[in-house]
Amino acid sequence: HVGEEQGKPYYGVWDGDMLSFLAQQLNSAPEPFMSFSFTASTHAPYFSPGEQWEILPHDENSRKGYLNTLYYTDDMLRRFMESAKKQPWFDNTLFIFTADHCLGYDVRGEHIAQDAAMLKDNAKRMLPRNHIPLLVYAPKILAPATKTFVGSHNDLMPSLAHLLGWETPFASLGQSLFDEAVAYRSAVTRQGNVITITDGNASVSHNFHTFMESRGDAKRFETLQR
């Protein structure tokens, strides 16, 4: 531990320590390089890194605790990016920020239990839990833009291949998020034993045994329901 945080996090190390270590590794890595890091300080239970990041009354098992840890992680990412901008590799680097799932609360702020009953009876909650942020930041390479279509983690590899100009054929379940020629997009999500496919307007969910539900005009997915 090398930062200002107090105590120990529930998972791994504090995000500030991890991002500080990542910066050191990148600054000494030969180019070109690819790196991956996983922030965990925002994972429940929400251990407080210190009072200076508690913008709300802290509770390790509530939305307020989550927002405090999110404020902390945002501060650590800011420090990391400020450091990265001073490095010679910054102008030629793609930064991708994303998540594996959103906060485990419903619209009323109640915690969603990860149990079999939820997976069986609340399929309608599956898709919203996969509404996550995806930011691709490269100010010297990409112009600012907002994409409003459906995308997923499956699209990350083809997106990188597109941006890096790779010409070698490859197989993927996704498509480049930067390819304007793509006419139809969809995403596949999984939670527990529930698989959902959606195009943003319609969706179907299946639990490997039984078709569970559909939303919107899901006729295009009829073959998946058989």
Side-chain angles (χ1 to χ4, degrees), residues 32-48:
F33 57 73
M34 176 178 284
S35 177
F36 169 84
S37 60
F38 188 88
T39 59
S41 296
T42 56
H43 197 288
Y46 310 111
F47 283 21
S48 173

Side-chain angles (χ1 to χ4, degrees), residues 3 37 154 156 170:
S37 60
N154 288 333
L156 289 180
F170 64 91

Side-chain angles (χ1 to χ4, degrees), residues 23 27 78-87 89-90:
N27 292 339
R78 174 188 60 81
R79 297 185 189 186
F80 172 78
M81 294 306 298
E82 287 179 348
S83 173
K85 288 178 180 179
K86 300 175 183 178
Q87 305 305 319
W89 46 262
F90 175 81

